[in-house]
Amino acid sequence: MKEKYDYLIVGAGLFGATFAHLASTRHRRCLVIDKRNHIGGNIYCQQDNGINIHRYGAHIFHTSDKRIWDFVNSMVPFNRYTNSPVAVAPNGELYNLPFNMNTFYKIWGVKSPSEALQKLNEQRCEAIKKMEADGVKEPRNLEEQALTLIGRDVYELLIKGYTEKQWGRKCSDLPAFIIRRLPVRLTFDNNYFSDTYQGIPIGGYNKLVEKLLEGSDIQLDTDFFKDREHLSSLAHKIVFTGKIDEFFNYRFGMLEYRSVRFETETINNPNVQGCAVVNYTSSDVPYTRIIEHKHFESFGDSVYENPVSVISREYPAEWNPGIEPFYPVNDQRNNSLNTRYQELAQKEPNVIFGGRLAEYRYYDMAPVIAKVFSLFESDTNL
């Protein structure tokens, strides 16, 4: 009989693949399974007319941790992509994101940081005074929080409609903590991220995940829950990256998510919108953004070397069992429920839970890798 694997890794996404790589460097044997027909989880790229399509939404790698940046570049070189999205507002005008001097000039005509700050402070103060008049000391919801951070003009143009589409709820019904911070820059800088490093793997994310999974056995189209007992018997330990409530058979009830539906179209035009990401902030437009995928890896005149382009419209949707869960709904009810599931997880000595679904939290890519690093650094027996 073949000797057992050291680890059964449930999920071939970034957490599972990184864990498999680090385990392999310690000469551990890993079997990686995934219920989908591909590796990579939500960072999987699908080719269309020579363009890498981010099938589950745009993923831009960014970090200020040099160790993490050096690690991913040791797997595959990254390009110089800089995330500089624009937004189409309800008035039909285009505005730069994140909120910066280009944005404020377009909205108010201000030309200096001091003018912009004065306008911002005026509107912030108006929001705070209104709350105080109502006997409110702290923002009670996302709308009040946003108004105290950025003021009414920017909120109405660029936040309200987009956020309500994204979450399927009015901003006045969403918790304030969702928007505790807003990137506000008093410079003419359209770089969305403030991290030291950012980019896209040259050739797409599949190359990164393929490299991470070298040395591991992979089994796709395999649903852990359809053959749980047998699959669990194949390894000494399990690394679980799926939904934590499902792992425990929904003992306390189901956690809630928001989902996304993608409408992808190939267009006989080499340059449709001029950048990778365009947000649509009007509540009258059913999608939140359009992604033009070639701009993640083609720059300048090279965009025109391919005569076609591929775009994806992203439509937010309520999550129901059977469709892909994307964003945890981190309100009081779901966070309390997740706490109970995490307490159960701590009582499973032979199971390691990690990633967006297993921890029920939104993760950028670099922190996912950092989390796996920390696991191996804290336990030399892994």
Side-chain angles (χ1 to χ4, degrees), residues 46-218:
Q46 184 174 349
Q47 279 252 332
D48 185 337
N49 284 281
I51 301 168
N52 287 307
I53 310 306
H54 293 213
R55 181 167 163 183
Y56 301 98
H59 286 82
I60 299 119
F61 199 96
H62 58 98
T63 183
S64 289
D65 188 331
K66 187 175 187 300
R67 181 182 63 158
I68 299 299
W69 182 248
D70 289 344
F71 171 73
V72 294
N73 276 271
S74 72
M75 300 290 112
V76 57
F78 276 57
N79 68 21
R80 61 172 182 82
Y81 175 79
T82 300
N83 191 29
S84 302
V86 297
V88 180
N91 60 8
E93 294 288 331
L94 288 171
Y95 296 89
N96 290 106
L97 299 174
F99 311 131
N100 63 53
M101 285 300 300
N102 290 308
T103 320
F104 303 140
Y105 171 73
K106 187 74 176 285
I107 295 175
W108 298 314
V110 296
K111 297 180 181 178
S112 69
S114 59
E115 290 178 304
L117 188 58
Q118 180 180 350
K119 195 71 177 178
L120 284 168
N121 286 337
E122 286 174 1
Q123 297 205 354
R124 289 165 174 164
C125 287
E126 286 177 11
I128 292 170
K129 285 179 181 178
K130 185 178 185 308
M131 285 173 48
E132 290 175 346
D134 294 337
V136 178
K137 293 183 178 180
E138 295 290 334
R140 296 165 295 184
N141 53 57
L142 186 149
E143 179 165 280
E144 290 179 347
Q145 181 71 77
L147 289 172
T148 61
L149 290 173
I150 200 69
R152 183 162 297 279
D153 289 345
V154 176
Y155 170 71
E156 295 284 354
L157 271 175
L158 302 175
I159 297 174
K160 187 176 188 295
Y162 186 94
T163 303
E164 291 183 347
K165 286 190 292 186
Q166 181 78 9
W167 292 102
R169 295 156 179 81
K170 291 183 179 179
C171 287
S172 56
D173 294 332
L174 289 167
F177 69 79
I178 291 178
I179 201 167
R180 287 290 187 211
R181 293 182 181 179
L182 282 172
V184 177
R185 303 209 183 114
L186 297 176
T187 60
F188 291 91
D189 181 5
N190 296 325
N191 181 357
Y192 193 85
F193 300 120
S194 58
D195 291 294
T196 307
Y197 312 104
Q198 69 179 293
I200 305 286
I202 294 174
Y205 282 99
N206 295 0
K207 291 186 177 297
L208 172 63
V209 179
E210 287 166 1
K211 189 71 176 179
L212 290 170
L213 289 175
E214 283 183 0
S216 297
D217 290 339
I218 302 167

